[in-house]
Amino acid sequence: RGNLGLLRRDPPTSTEEQADILNDMVEESDRLIRLVNDLLLLARADAGRGLKREIVRLQPLLEDCARQARLLDAQRCIKLEASTSLSMLGDRDALKQVLLILLDNALKHSGGDIQIAASPEGSLVCISVRDGGPGISPDMLERAFERFHRGGENPLVPGFGLGLPIAKALSEGMGGSISIESEPGSGSCITLLFPAAAVG
């Protein structure tokens, strides 16, 4: 809004200043669009609207998510370990959204390798995303899934504090769960548990 006021100034600002103002407005508009999209996604997840209960083969989905994450940072090593026969009951698109949120967080807040693993755990499927970042203090860990909570991390890292709440709402909407383990200096591991699916 302030930038719009600057553009209406009389006499007008210089051409260079106007170009800077327009660039700022484009960036702010994009940021608002991301915020609105996140809020809409969170509202839909809360309502459990449109989430499917179908068989999802995990290895191809995890490979696709790892590939997309590597495009965001080609210098990072993202390792994947998953059985080819592993499947779960859930919504493929929602699960992909959850995994991309977790991988995006790992890329933003850690250095070194990122490990994705999937394995059977009784009647459940366990998916984990582990990073080698600075870890999270116990008091911050308790609030990790609170909406708009960003902890004490670098304010220059983009985000609204909605990624993990969205991941939690989507996971629970599919009948699963999400948890996080972390220690300062030892990285973080986020674990997803979902009902396993028998594939004939």
Side-chain angles (χ1 to χ4, degrees):
R1 179 65 183 84
N3 281 330
L4 286 171
L6 290 174
L7 288 179
R8 295 179 65 185
R9 182 180 290 173
D10 190 17
T13 59
S14 69
T15 303
E16 293 80 11
E17 286 178 313
Q18 288 182 18
D20 289 340
I21 290 169
L22 288 171
N23 285 334
D24 287 345
M25 291 171 63
V26 169
E27 289 180 8
E28 281 301 295
S29 296
D30 288 343
R31 188 179 69 84
L32 289 173
I33 288 168
R34 289 194 300 272
L35 175 58
V36 170
N37 285 338
D38 281 350
L39 291 171
L40 286 171
L41 182 57
L42 190 57
R44 290 191 191 106
D46 282 345
R49 227 180 291 162
L51 292 184
K52 302 171 187 170
R53 297 278 289 179
E54 60 188 7
I55 295 174
V56 179
R57 292 184 178 273
L58 285 177
Q59 190 189 41
L61 177 60
L62 293 172
E63 285 177 348
D64 189 37
C65 291
R67 178 190 60 77
Q68 288 190 31
R70 290 184 190 109
L71 292 175
L72 297 175
D73 188 345
Q75 307 304 314
R76 299 289 288 278
C77 177
I78 300 175
K79 301 176 180 177
L80 171 61
E81 186 177 329
S83 164
T84 56
S85 61
L86 206 55
S87 296
M88 59 160 275
L89 285 174
D91 185 300
R92 187 185 190 282
D93 291 340
L95 178 59
K96 184 174 183 179
Q97 180 76 44
V98 170
L99 291 167
L100 290 176
I101 287 170
L102 302 187
L103 289 168
D104 184 56
N105 277 357
L107 289 170
K108 284 178 183 174
H109 303 294
S110 74
D113 296 353
I114 296 170
Q115 298 176 323
I116 310 167
S119 58
E121 196 166 296
S123 62
L124 302 173
V125 167
C126 175
I127 305 170
S128 64
V129 176
R130 183 182 298 275
D131 66 54
I136 305 170
S137 63
D139 56 323
M140 294 297 179
L141 196 59
E142 290 179 6
R143 304 183 61 193
F145 294 104
E146 285 184 17
R147 296 173 186 195
F148 299 105
H149 176 70
R150 301 192 67 221
E153 74 267 13
N154 186 345
L156 297 177
V157 175
F160 305 103
L162 288 173
L164 287 179
I166 289 172
K168 184 175 190 290
L170 289 173
S171 297
E172 293 177 351
M174 290 184 283
S177 66
I178 183 170
S179 61
I180 181 168
E181 293 180 8
S182 184
E183 289 183 17
S186 300
S188 303
C189 181
I190 298 185
T191 302
L192 304 166
L193 291 173
F194 294 105
V199 180

